[in-house]
Structures are given as structure tokens and as C-alpha cells.
Amino acid sequence: DCSRKAPHPAHPQALFLSDSMRSFLRSLKPSLGGPTARLPRSMFRTSMRRSMSTAAEGPLAKFKVSGGVNGEFTAKLYTDEMPITTSNFMDLAETGFYDGIHFHRVINNFMLQFGCPHAKDPKSPRAGTGGPNPGTKFQLYGDDAVITRDPRTGCIPDEFTSKISNKPGTLSMANTGQPNSGGSQFFVNTVHNSYLDWFDGSTPSRHPVFGEVVEGMDVVKEIEKTQTNNRDSPLDPVKLETIEIIKE
């Protein structure tokens, strides 16, 4: 499994073809083979198209939860700034990967963590250690490039390119603390956790933001307030029924 180390409270827009984006693309080229070898050229084309067009709202993800909390919340996805991370998330959502998974870690005044397939059983001791199936593929949103998840772990490349802070309501990638160790797990910040920013430098934590809740923050706050056990799992499990991707 591509084990996930969740962010811990005690532990501690890129411009078109910026230097950081160039460095990022160069770093990807030797580590991605097969269909992903076309990624740099494709990403340059995508960036050029988007740079010449007017700014548009990104796709939306509508979350429907049940159990300990019933309701919906909607997040905007930063597809321009985080094309790999958002496309990975959208693929998992649209293929039903997230359906039936429970929030396995909830900490008041910190965040809600979600996305481990083992958490379909809310009492599983393996909750927080799973990820996508190794070697599976997904297509970049608005492009023809195909990304292959790590053939051993199912993880995706880090996207440390856009300086978007872990503010309240933002969606951010969970990881083990090692490079390229994110997969399907993410968390929703309920306070401003700036020390989790990949560009902060005050702690080793590096968690890139890829979306933001734009509707239903009251549901997020209700989940945040649920009673939890000594593993930070809700006593009354909160299940994600579905994530609907709305492409505008």
C-alpha cells in the first residue's frame, strides 16, 4: 500500500511557464514512462491554451455524506494550477473509487481526512494506509495526456508549483512525508494550517492544495464537531455516498 501519514497538528498561481513549472516538468520526465512520456509537451500545450483564454471557473465536486452527518458540500477544483492532482481526484471520483468510504480521521480545529479505501469499514485498523490500485491510468483534464500511477504503490507525482495556502475550506493532499507519496487520500482544512504549506518551510510537512469548498461549509464544520475515539475516528461514522464531478 501507498501508506499515508496524515498531517498532524503538533508535527509539523504559478505563472505560465514559470521557472518552478519548468523545473517541475523536468523532474517528471525521467520518472514517468510509457504513455506519460508525452506529459511535458502536452502540459505546455494546455498551459498555452489556457493562458490565451479568459479565466474560467474550474470543475466542481459535489460531496454527499450520510450517517453521523447528513448533507452536501461542493468544492471548486484548481485544474489549471494542479492538473495532475485534480485529474487524479476526478478520475477516482468518476469511477466510484470514493463511494462508500468513511472519514477516518477528524480533528476539531484542524481538518477532516478522507480517501482511504480500507475505510469502507469505519472500524478497519488499516484505515489511513490505502490508496489507488498500482499501475492504473488517468487522463489529464482538458488534455490527451495519460498519467500512470506508480506501478508499485499507486501514488502520483507531487505538484509543488502553485503557492496556494492551506486555508479554511481548502482541499489538500495527504502523504507519507516522502516524495511522490500522495494517492487518493486528502483532507479538508477547517482552520488556516499555513505550516502545512509546501512552500512554508517552518516544518517538514508539504501538502499541496488542489481545491476549495465553495458551498456547504456548514456541513464540513458539522463533521468537524463530531465526537471521535482515541484514533480520531468519528464514533458515529460519516460516510461519503458519492462525489459528483460537474464539468462546466
Side-chain angles (χ1 to χ4, degrees), residues 133-153:
N133 291 324
T136 50
K137 303 176 188 295
F138 61 94
Q139 185 172 339
L140 283 186
Y141 174 70
D143 204 290
D144 59 357
V146 174
I147 307 296
T148 301
R149 299 183 178 96
D150 187 279
R152 184 175 57 85
T153 64

Side-chain angles (χ1 to χ4, degrees), residues 64-71 218-220 222-224 226 236-239:
K64 182 178 180 179
V65 299
S66 66
V69 174
N70 291 277
D218 58 321
V219 176
V220 171
E222 188 177 352
I223 298 172
E224 178 193 25
T226 58
D236 192 356
V238 180
K239 181 170 70 173

Side-chain angles (χ1 to χ4, degrees), residues 70-200:
N70 291 277
E72 297 180 351
F73 62 92
T74 301
K76 179 173 68 173
L77 303 177
Y78 299 146
T79 51
D80 284 354
E81 297 89 344
M82 302 288 287
I84 295 177
T85 307
T86 53
S87 297
N88 171 68
F89 170 82
M90 292 166 66
D91 174 74
L92 294 173
E94 292 182 317
T95 56
F97 179 92
Y98 289 125
D99 295 357
I101 292 178
H102 296 81
F103 286 85
H104 68 270
R105 189 165 183 248
V106 174
I107 301 178
N108 191 24
N109 293 319
F110 183 33
M111 59 91 220
L112 326 174
Q113 190 170 347
F114 174 83
C116 174
H118 300 312
K120 286 192 174 182
D121 174 3
K123 297 182 179 179
S124 173
R126 300 180 67 193
T129 66
N133 291 324
T136 50
K137 303 176 188 295
F138 61 94
Q139 185 172 339
L140 283 186
Y141 174 70
D143 204 290
D144 59 357
V146 174
I147 307 296
T148 301
R149 299 183 178 96
D150 187 279
R152 184 175 57 85
T153 64
C155 294
I156 63 172
D158 292 327
E159 279 188 297
F160 296 143
T161 55
S162 293
K163 293 184 177 181
I164 308 171
S165 191
N166 281 268
K167 294 181 179 180
T170 53
L171 277 58
S172 190
M173 285 297 291
N175 56 53
T176 66
Q178 297 299 311
N180 305 315
S181 60
S184 60
Q185 292 189 47
F186 63 93
F187 56 96
V188 183
N189 289 289
T190 57
V191 296
H192 192 181
N193 296 308
S194 60
Y195 65 93
L196 298 180
D197 295 342
W198 65 267
F199 51 89
D200 177 82

Side-chain angles (χ1 to χ4, degrees), residues 222-238:
E222 188 177 352
I223 298 172
E224 178 193 25
K225 301 296 183 182
T226 58
Q227 290 189 315
T228 57
N229 59 23
N230 59 2
R231 296 175 57 243
D232 299 320
S233 299
L235 294 177
D236 192 356
V238 180

